[in-house]
Every structure is written in structure tokens, then in C-alpha cells.
Amino acid sequence: YNDVQVAALYLSNPKAATFHRVATYCVADPSSLLSQLDQHDGVLGQAIKEQRILTLQDVPSEYLRVGSVMGQMRPKHLV
């Protein structure tokens, strides 16, 4: 348990060296996230390639929307 407000879970496919999104939590539009990624796909790919957790601050407003039945907003930080 990480006390997160938003999450996307990707599982590894070692044969194809890719990761597949299998679940999301409080993502306003899950289709806006990559359904499959590898180490060449943006910040998530960089974290995979470097095998470490990355933290982003001042997230661009178009990057990701957080949502629930109460409304939507943009995150301030990503881990």
C-alpha cells in the first residue's frame, strides 16, 4: 500500500520486453494512457530503462487528468 490517489498498473511481458496496462485507479480517461509500453516510451520508459522510481513535479496540465464522480483535476506530482 502506497497511499496513492491515482494509479496505473503495468505488468511485464518478458518475452516481448514490453509492459501491458492491466488496471487503473482514479484516472479520468484510461484510454489517454498507453496500453502497452517499453523502455523507449517517455517517462515511464525511462523509469523502466533505469530500473528506478522517478518523481515529477510541476506536471504539465495536459499530461494526465485525475478523476472521480466528484470531478477532475491535474496532478501536481507523479511518482
Side-chain angles (χ1 to χ4, degrees), residues 2 6-7 15-16 20 24 26 33-34 37 40 44 46 52 54 61 64 71 75 77:
N2 292 319
V6 179
K15 292 180 181 179
H20 297 271
T24 62
C26 287
L33 299 176
L34 293 172
L37 59 96
H40 304 290
L44 290 174
Q46 182 181 352
R52 67 185 187 103
L54 300 177
S61 61
L64 176 68
H77 307 284

Side-chain angles (χ1 to χ4, degrees), residues 15-63:
K15 292 180 181 179
T18 58
F19 290 76
H20 297 271
R21 182 175 39 111
V22 295
T24 62
Y25 174 73
C26 287
V27 176
D29 180 12
S31 67
S32 68
L33 299 176
L34 293 172
S35 60
Q36 177 178 309
L37 59 96
D38 65 24
Q39 64 180 345
H40 304 290
D41 292 319
V43 175
L44 290 174
Q46 182 181 352
I48 292 167
K49 186 176 182 178
E50 296 178 9
Q51 296 183 1
R52 67 185 187 103
I53 296 172
L54 300 177
T55 302
L56 300 177
Q57 296 181 8
D58 300 321
V59 179
S61 61
E62 68 279 355
Y63 194 75

